[in-house]
Amino acid sequence: GFNCVELLWASPTIGLELLRAAEQIGMPLVYQNLRRFGGMDLYESVCTSLSTAGTGGFGIKNDSLAGYSTTIQNIVTVFMILFGVNFNIYYLILCKKVVNALKNSELRVYLGILFGATLLVAINLQGMFGSFKADMQQSAFQVASVMTSTGFITADYDLWPEFSKNILVLVM
C-alpha cells in the first residue's frame, strides 16, 4: 500500500512533486474535460483551465466568462474554489488523513468566509438575476473569483448594491 510517511522519509521532495503534478496536470485535465461537456471548445477550455489553475484569470473573450453557459460558470466556480485551497490539504487527503484535512483551521476559515460572503451577497442582490438560485450562482462566482484573485467575471458587479460591493472588497 501507499504510505506517506515512508515516501516522505525516503525523499521529502516527492510530496511536493506529487502536489505539483496534481496542480499542473491532474486537476486542469479533469477540469478541461468537465468543461468540454459545457460546450467550450478545446482552445477555450485549455486557456480557461490553465488560467483558473494558476488563479490568473486570463480570459480569451472580452466579457470574460459572462458569455458562457451557466454550466461552465458553475464548473469554473467549483474549480476556482478548489484551486484556492492550500495544497497541503490535498496532501493530507492523499495520505488518507481526511479527518485532519477537514479539521484544518485554514480550510474552515477559507470555506466559512467564502460561503458566508456568497450568502450575504446573494441575499443582498434580491432577485437582481431573476431568482434566488441565479443570485446565488452569480454571487458564488464573483466571490470565488475575487477571493482567489482569479479575476474572471460574469456580471458587472459595479451595478450591484453597495453592501455587495463592500463584501467583495473585504474578501479580496
Side-chain angles (χ1 to χ4, degrees):
F2 178 66
N3 187 327
C4 289
V5 174
E6 290 176 9
L7 180 68
L8 286 175
W9 190 262
S11 174
T13 59
I14 290 177
L16 293 173
E17 290 171 15
L18 286 172
L19 292 176
R20 284 190 195 111
E23 178 182 18
Q24 296 173 357
I25 297 169
M27 290 179 91
L29 286 177
V30 169
Y31 179 42
Q32 173 191 0
N33 289 324
L34 283 173
R35 264 185 293 99
R36 297 272 298 146
F37 293 111
M40 221 181 229
D41 68 33
L42 181 62
Y43 174 74
E44 292 170 332
S45 66
V46 168
C47 289
T48 305
S49 175
L50 295 174
S51 290
T52 304
T55 63
F58 168 74
I60 59 170
K61 293 188 175 184
N62 288 339
D63 67 356
S64 186
L65 294 178
Y68 292 107
S69 69
T70 303
T71 302
I72 289 175
Q73 292 175 11
N74 289 339
I75 292 169
V76 171
T77 302
V78 167
F79 279 90
M80 283 189 293
I81 293 167
L82 289 175
F83 281 115
V85 171
N86 185 329
F87 271 79
N88 289 325
I89 302 300
Y90 296 121
Y91 183 71
L92 287 173
I93 293 168
L94 181 68
C95 292
K96 299 178 183 173
K97 296 181 180 181
V98 177
V99 174
N100 290 350
L102 295 175
K103 287 182 178 179
N104 182 279
S105 60
E106 179 181 338
L107 177 65
R108 288 178 172 215
V109 169
Y110 170 71
L111 294 176
I113 291 171
L114 183 105
F115 292 133
T118 297
L119 185 61
L120 288 172
V121 170
I123 290 169
N124 187 242
L125 292 177
Q126 297 177 358
M128 188 177 234
F129 293 96
S131 69
F132 184 71
K133 180 181 175 184
D135 292 344
M136 279 295 289
Q137 187 266 329
Q138 289 296 320
S139 173
F141 186 95
Q142 300 306 332
V143 169
S145 179
V146 168
M147 194 167 173
T148 61
S149 70
T150 306
F152 289 129
I153 60 164
T154 56
D156 184 359
Y157 50 80
D158 194 41
L159 302 175
W160 290 9
E162 287 299 316
F163 179 77
S164 293
K165 289 191 279 190
N166 288 330
I167 294 291
L168 291 176
V169 168
L170 287 174
V171 298
M172 281 185 180

